[in-house]
Amino acid sequence: MALPTTVIYFTCYDQLSEALKSRLGKDDEHIPVLAGALSRFGSVTVVSPLELIRTRMQYRKLSYKQLYTCVSSEVATDGWFSLWRGWSSTVLRDVPFSAIYWHNYERFKKMMCKEVGIAAVITLPFDVVKTHRQTELWESETLKSIIPRLFKVAPACAIMISTYEYGKSFFSHLNEKMNQCP
């Protein structure tokens, strides 16, 4: 589930950022907040039915046939919107988190690139960990559940964002080289 969600989320974030930059100006500080919030809203909406099905399958330990019967019955009884059960609480958790996350990430990245250049790439995983630690306090989880989550989420996000930024840079340079060839 993490891979399709991340691909949708990061792609939407980049596309929205570029669209907003052309409308609001590239230095508008609201762009990461808006793009982060909207991209998370979209990715949660698209993936929510799959997440619900996965959660039910794991919780009830259903076979695929039993799962199909369960989901079909629920859709027949409550309609297609029943597949988005839990969507609102996920949106309430993830959208503010993403707005805060991208605002801090872009601000820190811009600051590091101006002052140090390559240091932004080197320190990026530490920024992700810091951001997660700060924003996790906003969630209504107990301390016992925050710590294991941090050990899981922070490194995963650091790896994802570092890989994403490296890939973006790599393919951007590759496109530039291909466009320069006669």
Side-chain angles (χ1 to χ4, degrees), residues 42-176:
S43 66
V44 165
T45 302
V46 169
V47 177
S48 189
L50 298 173
E51 185 68 29
L52 176 81
I53 290 168
R54 180 189 65 86
T55 302
R56 290 221 174 134
M57 187 175 187
Q58 288 176 342
Y59 177 71
R60 294 183 183 170
K61 297 182 173 103
L62 301 173
S63 68
Y64 287 108
K65 185 176 180 179
Q66 292 169 320
L67 179 64
Y68 176 78
T69 303
C70 178
V71 170
S72 297
S73 173
E74 190 167 320
V75 168
T77 304
D78 298 330
W80 284 101
F81 287 114
S82 65
L83 295 177
W84 279 268
R85 192 166 283 131
W87 172 85
S88 59
S89 58
T90 305
V91 164
L92 288 172
R93 180 194 68 191
D94 289 2
V95 169
F97 175 89
S98 293
I100 294 165
Y101 175 85
W102 285 107
H103 172 74
N104 287 328
Y105 171 75
E106 294 291 356
R107 211 169 111 208
F108 184 77
K109 186 170 96 170
K110 187 184 291 185
M111 179 185 71
M112 291 304 290
C113 287
K114 279 183 183 176
E115 294 181 15
V116 188
I118 195 67
V121 174
I122 296 167
T123 61
L124 181 61
F126 302 107
D127 179 54
V128 172
V129 172
K130 175 203 63 92
T131 303
H132 274 279
R133 291 191 70 154
Q134 290 175 339
T135 56
E136 287 290 326
L137 297 175
W138 289 88
E139 294 188 15
S140 61
E141 296 180 15
T142 63
L143 184 59
K144 286 183 182 178
S145 62
I146 287 175
I147 292 171
R149 183 177 166 117
L150 280 174
F151 280 117
K152 175 187 171 217
V153 173
C157 286
I159 291 167
M160 281 190 311
I161 198 76
S162 298
T163 303
Y164 174 72
E165 287 292 342
Y166 175 79
K168 231 170 58 168
S169 175
F170 175 81
F171 287 111
S172 175
H173 291 314
L174 186 64
N175 282 338
E176 285 176 16

Side-chain angles (χ1 to χ4, degrees), residues 9-48:
Y9 176 45
F10 281 16
T11 302
C12 286
Y13 176 78
D14 257 357
Q15 295 299 313
L16 284 168
S17 290
E18 291 305 314
L20 289 168
K21 284 175 186 175
S22 69
R23 288 187 166 254
L24 303 175
K26 71 177 191 160
D27 293 325
D28 192 310
E29 290 189 15
H30 295 97
I31 291 171
V33 174
L34 291 168
L38 291 171
S39 61
R40 180 60 86 178
F41 183 88
S43 66
V44 165
T45 302
V46 169
V47 177
S48 189

